[in-house]
Structures are given as structure tokens and as C-alpha cells.
Amino acid sequence: MIVAFSVSPSAAEEDGGVSEAVARAVKVVRESGLPNSTNAMFTNIEGSWDEVMDVVKRAVEAAGEGSSRVGLVLKADIRPGYEGQLTAKVERVEKHLGG
């Protein structure tokens, strides 16, 4: 499965941003060893249901350090029997674009 998720703690930095908290969450994801990517809006992670949900839970906890509330947006593509789709899905689209 692939999960795209975004976390946002209620305690923002002085400039209203949340990059420090998000960095803590992304660090958890990267240290998991599961295939992942981060863009301006979401972090994507691929693995089994149990692996991915464990990492998301730990990432939310990390982002929420020092905050009384954390918002989580999560979208999942559950496709049993498929692996490597984090990159393969993009490659299929690029092929249609002639890339």
C-alpha cells in the first residue's frame, strides 16, 4: 500500500510555520527504511498495512511533541500484491507524457 499523509501540529513556530515539527515526522519516515518521498504538501510511504500505519503513528507523535493537538490528512492506495508502486505509478504517467 501507498499512504500519502500530512501532519500539522496546533503549536506553530513564530512565523506561523510548522517546518520543524514536520521535519521530526519526516525523520521518522526516512529512518523507517520503507520507500518514501516528501513534497511540499505530503509525505508518501510504501509498505504493508502494519508497517505503514506504525510509521504514520510514530510520525504524528513526533510532529506533535510540544503541541496539544495534531491534524492528520491521510490518503491510501491499497493494492494487494503490488510493490514498488511509489515510483512505478509515476513512471507509467511519464510514459504517456512521452518522458
Side-chain angles (χ1 to χ4, degrees), residues 30 38 53 67 83 99:
R30 290 183 179 175
T38 299
M53 290 305 171
S67 182
E83 294 180 3

Side-chain angles (χ1 to χ4, degrees), residues 5-16:
F5 75 100
S6 175
V7 293
S8 184
S10 60
E13 298 159 19
E14 285 186 27
D15 66 356

Side-chain angles (χ1 to χ4, degrees), residues 2 14-15 18 21-22 25 29-30 33 43 51 67 70 73 81 86:
I2 297 173
E14 285 186 27
D15 66 356
V18 293
V22 171
V29 173
R30 290 183 179 175
T43 293
E51 291 172 326
S67 182
V70 178
V73 175
L86 195 62

Side-chain angles (χ1 to χ4, degrees), residues 48-72:
S48 73
W49 181 275
D50 291 337
E51 291 172 326
V52 169
M53 290 305 171
D54 174 64
V55 173
V56 170
K57 179 182 179 188
R58 290 186 291 117
V60 169
E61 290 169 348
E65 291 173 11
S67 182
S68 62
R69 183 183 227 166
V70 178
L72 170 66

Side-chain angles (χ1 to χ4, degrees), residues 20-94:
E20 186 177 331
V22 171
R24 290 193 302 267
V26 171
K27 182 177 181 188
V28 169
V29 173
R30 290 183 179 175
E31 289 177 349
S32 75
L34 295 175
N36 66 84
S37 64
T38 299
N39 59 51
M41 297 292 292
F42 288 94
T43 293
N44 303 303
I45 184 169
E46 182 174 13
S48 73
W49 181 275
D50 291 337
E51 291 172 326
V52 169
M53 290 305 171
D54 174 64
V55 173
V56 170
K57 179 182 179 188
R58 290 186 291 117
V60 169
E61 290 169 348
E65 291 173 11
S67 182
S68 62
R69 183 183 227 166
V70 178
L72 170 66
V73 175
L74 185 143
K75 181 176 180 179
D77 180 1
I78 304 161
R79 195 173 185 195
Y82 286 80
E83 294 180 3
Q85 295 304 296
L86 195 62
T87 55
K89 290 175 78 167
V90 176
E91 289 169 358
R92 288 192 296 273
V93 171
E94 289 295 336

